[in-house]
Structures are given as C-alpha cells and as structure tokens.
Amino acid sequence: MEDYDHVEIEERWRKKWEDNEIHKTKRDEERTPFYLIFAYPGISGFLHLGHMRCYTYTDILARYKEMTGFNVLFPAGTHPTGNQAISLAKKLEEGDQKKIDYMKRNGATQEDIERMKDPEEVVKYFNEIYREEYWKDFGFSIDFDYFTYTTRDDYKKFITWQFKKLKEKELLTQKPYFGTECVECGPVAVDPSETDLSKGGNAEKQEFTLLKFEYGERYVTAATLRPETVFGQTNLWVDPEMEYVIVEIKDEEWIMSNEAADKLNYQKDRIEKIDTIKGEEMIGDKVVAPGIGREIVILPASFLDPDFGTGIVTSVPSDAPYDRIALKDIKQDEELKERYDLDIDDLEPIEIIESDEWGTDPAEKIIEELDISSQEEEERLEEATERIYRAGFHTGEMLDTCGDYSGMRVQDAKEKIKHDLIEEGKADVIYDLSEEVICRCGGKVVVGKIPDQWFIRYSDEELTEKSIEQAEKMMITPQSYADNLPTTIEWFQDRSCARRGNWMGTEFPFEEDWIIEAIADSTLYPAFYVIAKHYNQGTINADQMTEEFFDHVFLGEYKPEKVSEKTGIAEEDLEEIRSDFEYWYPLDLNLGGKEHMTVHFPVFLMNHVAIFEEEDRPRGIFVNWWLVGKGGKISKSKGGAEPIPDAAEKYGVDTLRLFYAHSASPFVDKEWTEDEAFTYQKKLDALWDLIKKVRDVKGEEKKIDDHLKSRFNRLLKRYHEFMDDYEIRKGANIAFYNIPAEINWYLKRGGSDPELLNEVGEKLVRMIAPFTPHIAEELSDNWDIDFVTQQRLPRYQEEKISDLAESREDYVKKVREDIKHILDIAEVEGEKIYIYVAEGWKKEVLERMKEEPEKGMGLMGELVEEIDAPSDELASFVQEALEDIKTRGAEKLHVDLDEREVLEESLEFLKKEFDAEISISKAGQDDIYDPENRSSQSKPKRPAIYIE
RNA sequence: GCGGGGGUAGCCAAGCAUGGCCAACGGCGAUAGACUCAAGAUCUAUUCCCAUAGGGGUCCGAGGGUUCAAAUCCCUUCCCCCGCACCA
C-alpha cells in the first residue's frame, strides 16, 4: 500500500461516490427512514472552518445512521432571505475596494465580481460555492437533488401557503410596533454583528416614561427610566442656555429639546413644532408634577444633553446621586439664586424607597461611600446610579410617602405607576436608543412606530402549550437545552414577520410591499425539501404549487384527482410526492449552532406544531457550540480563516472531520489551533500504518486473543451506545483511540492471529467510516470492499466479551507496572526479577470473607480452624482484607484467575519488556530463592516481587 | 434585570447525570533517549511534590457540609462567558 496521501485519496473517493451516485436517496418502504438537516446558512459571503463544525456533525450522524441500516435523507439548501446579498451587490457596484479584495482573496474572478453587481447573481454564485467547494469538498453525503433556496419561485409558493395557513389559524395579527429604522432607508437591525450598520451595534432600545408637567396651558416633558420615583420629585432641571421647542401633539403643546422633537416625530402620528422657548425663560417657574399633583420649581442645570430624553430632567435627589449633588451645589450658589431669584433653601429630598443595602436615603449614602463631591465625577456618578437602581429594584419597598403605592415592592410599583400615569394622561411612552446608531447608508437610526406591523402570534396559549408538550417529547441534545427549550417557548412573544423595504424574500400575501422576514420563512422548510426534489426533476413547476397542492401533500386534504384537476399535476406524480412526504416526515433531527437556541429552534418547532399534524412534528434537535479563534474570532494570522478548499487541501478533509468530532465536546466553544489539526493528521497517518501492520502479521492463535476479542466487542458495544445518543466525541474516541490502543497492546503482548487481526482491522475501518469516510474507503480496499460507507457497521458479539480474559490482562498490566515502578526508584541492576504469587490459603481466606463480610474479625475463629496457615500471617492478612472490604466492597475480593498460569504465559512478554530473567514461584513453598523474604507480602492478584 | 453556560494540572480539553478502579481520557508544549549526516519527521519514556522496593503527600476557582469515600452530591462565596427578539 502507498503512503497516506490525503489529497489524492480524498479527491478520488469523492469522485467515485459521485460517479456511483451513492448519496442519492430513494424512498424504500422496507427500511426505516431517518431524516436530518442542518440549519441552512444565509448567503452571507464566504464561510470559514468555524461554519463547518455543524455540517460535519450532521454528516457524521447521517453516515452513522445509514451504516446502521436506516434509509437516510440528508438534503441541504441556502437561505438568501434578507439584504445580505443586496448589500454585497451594492458594495461591488460602488466599487468598494475592501469588498473587492475580499472577493478576490477567496477566489472570485473579475468576471464574477462584475456579474455580482446583481444580487440575484450573488445568490447564484454562493449557492455554487457552498455546494461545490464546501459541502461536496468535505465529503458530505448530502443528496443535492433536494437542493433549494428561499428566494426561488417554488420556495416562495411554499412560504405563501404557510402564511395562509397561519392566517387561517388566526395566528397572524397586526398591531403597532416600535422598531429601529434608518431615517433614510427604512427598517434596520441593531445588533452586534452590525449587518445593517456602520456604528452602534451594541445600542439598546430603551423604553422611557415621558412625564408631563403642567406649565400653564402647556406641558414641560421629562423622560425617565424610573417612573416609580415620581413621589420624590423636588424640582425640574432645565438648561438655561438651551433653546427648547414647543410642539403640538394631538391637542396639547409639549416642551422639549429640538432633538427630542425630531425623534418623537417618528413615534407619534402628528407632531408639529410651533414655537421655541429659551430655557432661561422657564427658570424659577413652577410646574405641577405628574402623579403627585404638587408644584415643583424649575431650576437651572448645565449637565443636560439635548439628545438624551427630552433635554429636561425631573429631579429626585433622594434616589438620584446626580440630582442630589446638583441640588447641593445650587443651594450654595448664592450668585445663581440671586440671578434667577430662587427661594430654594427649604428644598429637601423626599425619601421614597427603602432598600436593604441603602436604607431610605440612598443617594446621600452612596455619595458618602464613593466620596463623590462634584457633578464632574461622571463615571462614579454613573456607577452610583446603577447600584442604587439595582438594589432598589430588587429589594426596595415603597415608603409611605408614596400614596396608594406605599408598601409595594419597587418592581411592582414601577409598572403600576407607569401604567396609571399613562392612563390618567399624565405621562406617555417614548423609545430611544442607548447610544448613537448610524446605518450603513450613513443615515441616523431612530426608533420609529410602525402602526400596522404584522406579527405571528407565538404568544397564543394553545400553541405555546402544545409546543412545550412536543419539546418535552423530543430528543434534544445537549440535555441543558432540552431543559431549557420549554422555558424559551413560554417566554416567546409575538414576533414580527414581515417588513417593508428592499429585501429578498417572499412577498407577504396579505399586503403589498411587505416582504416576509428571514426568521419567519425558515421554520417549516425541512418539509419542503421533499417537494423541491420533484421541482428539480421537472415533475412539477412553481405555478402548480397551489394551496390545494400543499394542503394535499402536507395535510392529506382533498382527493388526488381533485388536486390533479386543479393543478394539472398527474395524479400518480401527486401520489408519489405525497408518499414521499409521508415516508420521510417527521424530521428526526435538526442540527444548528447555539445562536439558534432562542430564535430559530423555537419557531421551527412552533410552526410545525401550528400547521402540521401531530405525527409530523419534529423529533430531535442537536445544538453545537462554535469553533473560535484565539481571542474570539477566527483570524487569518492563526490559520483556520483560509478559504475552505485551501484548508481542505492543507490539513485534509478527514483530518478536519476528525478534529471536529474529537477535539472537544460539541457543546463547548472550541478554540482552533493549527497545531492541533496537524496532530489529527498524524493520528490518521498512525492509523493508516497500524492497519497496514495488522494486514502483515503472521502467526497463530494465542491466549491473548481472547482479550482482544473481549475488549474489541466491549468497545464496539459502547461505540454504538454513544453514537445512538449522538455522543459523537465519545464514539470517535473509541474508534480512533481506544481500539487502536487495544490492538497495539495485543501486538506488544505477542498477539499474532492473522484471522483475528484481519477481522478487527476490517471492522475498525467500518467504524471510522462515519467520521473519516475517505481514508476508510481507501483502507477498506485491503479487504476488497467497494464503498465501505455503504456497508453496515459491525454488531458486537456479546459472547466474546469475557471478564476473565480482561481480568487476566489487567493482572499482567498491574504486575508490569509494579516492576517498572520498582525499577524506577530502586537502585538495582534489574537483571533478575522474581515474582512470587500468593499462597493458596490467602485466596481461600478471601473467598470465605466474601461470603460473610459482615462478620468482620469475628470470622477469625473459624478461619483459624479451617485454614492451614501460620496464625500471625493469617491475622495480619485478614486485618488488611477487612480494610479492603471497607473501602472497596466485598465483591472486589473475588479472585478469578490462576495467577501462575497467567504469568507463565506472559513470560516472553515480561522478559522482553524488562530485558531480564524472570522467575515465577509460589510463595510459601520451600526452596524458593527469596533473600529478603518478600514472598510473605504477596496477596492474591498482587504478587510479591524481588529484583536484583 | 431575565434566562443560560462555565471555572480541571504550563496550555487546549475529557470526566461531573449513575461518588470509589482519578494524580484525573486525549492532545499541545517541555525534558530525556532511540533512529538519523541532520531534522520542524517517527518511536519510547518522563512531565504536581517527596521517596534507593511497588509507598506517601497535596490537587480539580474559594470556603463549608454529607459520606467509610467527593473533581463528581448539598450549601455559601468569588470570577468569567453567552442569549434577550425582527439578527442569520
């Protein structure tokens, strides 16, 4: 056999698989179907090794299931919905050099780039790349006859149908929604990945209570995150230098900063700036504070930001460190008081909340504790504010200054006060972002009101309940997610499902200009793969995919002849499609990364529950964590970021597959290192050599054969147990580590049965096939097997598992270790090794003690009678044995082997191991050579040793 | 805040559900030796501390507890990470 040349081997086998169409899947009523998918990727650009982790797990399980006799369906598709392809095309159109370099670095030609100025071409291009360069190059057993993507005509028909079903079931609803939008280009997503943004991905959308202070005919407005503190209000802060605006809203006039008015414009229906007012003009005036109906005074402040809230702040000096400091300052500022004619010497904080940590006057207390002396110490003031808020929210209780809310917990009072104020018209709600956010296009991102947003009603009680029921029945891996999913479903609220603007996706069927959103069109799709195959083969076209068609195929409604008549699809084709669906569905396993846990997986499940019959709901979910680079992201400098085809060639596909399978549990983030990848390459080299070696061994049957047979079958059994539980790493550990180690031990021990070695070698090659199919195919050539990946995995043979055979070997190993240990630390030549196995009576004693361990030392009397041994030795031996019983249990006393015989059989091995003469004798016999009387220390299964 | 995950030897990373066979899988790195002109290649051994006879000590974030026995179970505590919705 040649040396292991992964590039050549892998390419050759992939071609052979394709030429022989071994991944093509057909319905076969004789076999149990197993249907699995990975969560298809969006078209986001080139992928790297991190993305391949999930796909590899999917393929390993697909192949394992196939090799255990299931008829496996493993399709794949892509998900171009959204604007990623559009924004890439736009960048290329604009000649964005960074993007162009990126495309070229990954192998795009100038021609490709030209043509990708059209988003449709972007989709086409990446569909090709994903299929040919990623999935096929990794040797995945995907049947591409089922391939589809979400912006194709047929898929859109499917989504249209799905939304009609949701509507029928009254799971669609319309209500106002406050979402993030760019003032230039419409809705955008604000999230750390900054897909749509150029700045501010970490911003949060915050809900403020807008308090309205009566100021003559008008209202002064102030925004707060803490409506529960209204009872502590003592004054308002207004910046005398700032020019505020007066806006007309409904029939009222509100005063706020110009910036605030601009933002509010996106959230309120009619709003008009009618006048301005300088802050200075209001200083010293009185307003009526909402909620408490008390007059408070307007005071000057310089720390106000027109872009935060309304540029006016209500002051709660008892609970807000900022306000406390500012109030202190101003009370001492005689000049200022005089200028504005302020009479505020009596203005004192009003205690409103008591918390465990901060008592009733938290602001004062924390200012002292943090030693804050001025308004300038912003950082510490922020910290103080945060700490008080947290303590108050958790442990706080409203004091009796708080009217009807006295005695309530802050958590409850907060919501209730807000609600009541709004109810009474004394407050409103506004939204703002916690930091500045700028769109990709350069426009400012604000929170805007969409009055008639469409939602899927995931809050529906029945749907929630049924989904939880289903989740509890499913096989969900890992266990932590199984525990979690029901809670997630419970928490899941209505989710908007369509948006206006320039997106790729399916047109929303009930309103023009709306496109179905990306999460919403990727929930039921495993069902659609089954139909996509028939579309791909030309059996049906998109126009024929009417409502009746889907109702029939998925739900079994209508007679085929009726649907056939309506759609023009031949009746037999319809029956074929329907049978396919019935055969393959439900989906057995959906695999996806951890990012899907709170978004995709819940809606995937809930849509199935909403629309499909009980027997067609999914059975399993497998979540994997990520492959990350040092410091979080996969980066170019450390490897792993190279284009996937390059990586496949550099490390080897099987190497990478084994890396994914074995280097870490699927349920932790794994750091990528190139060194580790090369280690796995060497591992495959070693396996290659081992198989070669195994083929060449000539010899005969020996006692040690039983041990290998036993170990192999025991491990094979566990391999299946692990793999059936999707314990991929543990399965790989057995196939690539434990079993080769057993074979190596066997050879080391002088095992040499060609028949056995061939059997084990050949079975091992089948066991590695799900993980590293290419090398498995190549190695199986040794046994003239065509397509080992089409074979069945070996079944373990229970009758070959032998505790005795293994315990013999454990014994030899233990003796070997002990000798080694002694040689390590004792200064002896090590030319002659004497081993003394224990006298027979010691074994008898143990057997007797095992029968009645509870008797303890009380057994001594009987033993003295029964056993022929020196009484002092007997006593100390029993003493020790009793200790053993205590710590290890009586069962461990069992002695099942003829130690002398085992050692005699291992003589050659031990001689070779230690390059010494070995003498074996029985303790207690006369005329043995034992100058230091070691033999008396011998115990059953623990022979005494003397070395010189 | 709500919800979740985690802290294991120089590093990565198993084990924890079902306590004992755990000084703790596997790997990297390191050290020594073999092979070789040489080696980043391969193989062997060592890699918590002590120990000239198979032994002893300490150890799995920290502190307590349960138990004959705890990395594993319970309590307390410190620290890190992730998701939280229109983002695939």
Side-chain angles (χ1 to χ4, degrees), chain A residues 818-859:
Chain A
D818 282 350
I819 295 173
K820 222 174 177 174
H821 201 158
I822 295 167
L823 286 171
D824 275 352
I825 55 174
E827 281 180 358
V828 288
E829 297 288 322
E831 280 172 2
K832 284 188 176 177
I833 300 169
Y834 300 86
I835 304 173
Y836 314 96
V837 300
E839 302 91 314
W841 64 261
K842 289 183 176 168
K843 188 167 163 181
E844 282 174 47
V845 170
L846 294 187
E847 290 301 323
R848 280 290 285 122
M849 293 179 73
K850 200 182 75 183
E851 286 164 19
E852 301 170 282
E854 68 287 348
K855 278 197 177 172
M857 220 44 193
L859 212 54

Side-chain angles (χ1 to χ4, degrees), chain A residues 118 120 285 355 376 404 431 435 539 587 643 672 675 912:
Chain A
D118 173 4
E120 292 295 341
D285 292 349
S355 68
E376 312 297 313
D404 294 347
Y431 297 88
E435 56 184 279
T539 318
L587 183 75
W672 161 266
D675 283 347
K912 225 168 101 188

Side-chain angles (χ1 to χ4, degrees), chain A residues 182-328:
Chain A
C182 167
V183 296
E184 305 289 337
C185 65
V188 293
V190 174
D191 73 292
S193 69
E194 302 200 331
T195 317
D196 297 345
L197 310 174
S198 65
K199 187 187 167 200
N202 290 313
E204 276 179 64
K205 187 174 76 182
Q206 288 175 316
E207 186 192 288
F208 289 86
T209 303
L210 186 79
L211 298 171
K212 291 155 64 179
F213 298 80
E214 283 175 42
Y215 183 47
E217 297 295 296
R218 296 174 174 147
Y219 292 98
V220 176
T221 60
T224 180
L225 289 166
R226 301 194 58 191
E228 72 276 16
T229 62
V230 290
F231 291 97
Q233 298 178 98
T234 56
N235 61 285
L236 276 185
W237 298 114
V238 162
D239 186 342
E241 301 302 317
M242 204 185 293
E243 183 102 335
Y244 291 91
V245 297
I246 301 168
V247 298
E248 191 176 86
I249 176 162
K250 290 183 194 143
D251 297 323
E252 299 174 356
E253 291 177 11
W254 294 1
I255 296 171
M256 63 183 67
S257 71
N258 191 36
E259 286 82 348
D262 286 342
K263 283 189 277 195
L264 205 58
N265 201 24
Y266 291 96
Q267 294 174 25
K268 301 291 173 194
D269 294 337
R270 284 191 324 277
I271 199 167
E272 199 184 341
K273 292 181 198 171
I274 52 174
D275 203 351
T276 61
I277 181 169
K278 190 99 192 266
E280 204 171 25
E281 292 176 42
M282 297 186 274
I283 306 297
D285 292 349
K286 297 276 170 71
V287 293
V288 179
I292 51 179
R294 202 164 53 220
E295 281 204 330
I296 60 173
V297 64
I298 298 177
L299 298 180
S302 56
F303 55 80
L304 301 170
D305 176 356
D307 215 15
F308 186 82
T310 60
I312 298 168
V313 167
T314 184
S315 169
V316 185
S318 58
D319 280 61
Y322 261 111
D323 297 338
R324 183 58 154 261
I325 292 270
L327 187 62
K328 276 186 182 178

Side-chain angles (χ1 to χ4, degrees), chain A residues 650-716:
Chain A
K650 183 171 176 189
Y651 307 107
V653 169
D654 281 340
T655 299
L656 289 168
R657 292 174 59 112
L658 181 57
F659 170 85
Y660 292 120
H662 187 262
S663 77
S665 146
F667 319 122
V668 294
D669 286 337
K670 168 63 191 171
E671 217 171 277
W672 161 266
T673 61
E674 193 168 287
D675 283 347
E676 207 174 342
F678 284 124
T679 303
Y680 282 103
Q681 200 176 58
K682 285 180 215 157
K683 185 76 208 168
L684 290 178
D685 282 339
L687 189 68
W688 177 275
D689 292 341
L690 179 67
I691 296 291
K692 193 157 62 173
K693 197 151 119 198
V694 156
R695 291 282 300 167
D696 288 344
V697 168
K698 306 218 176 352
E700 69 281 311
E701 292 183 24
K702 287 181 190 159
K703 198 89 184 170
I704 184 72
D705 298 353
D706 292 339
H707 176 250
L708 181 59
K709 285 177 197 163
S710 178
R711 289 301 298 158
F712 178 80
N713 280 287
R714 196 187 290 276
L715 287 167
L716 177 55

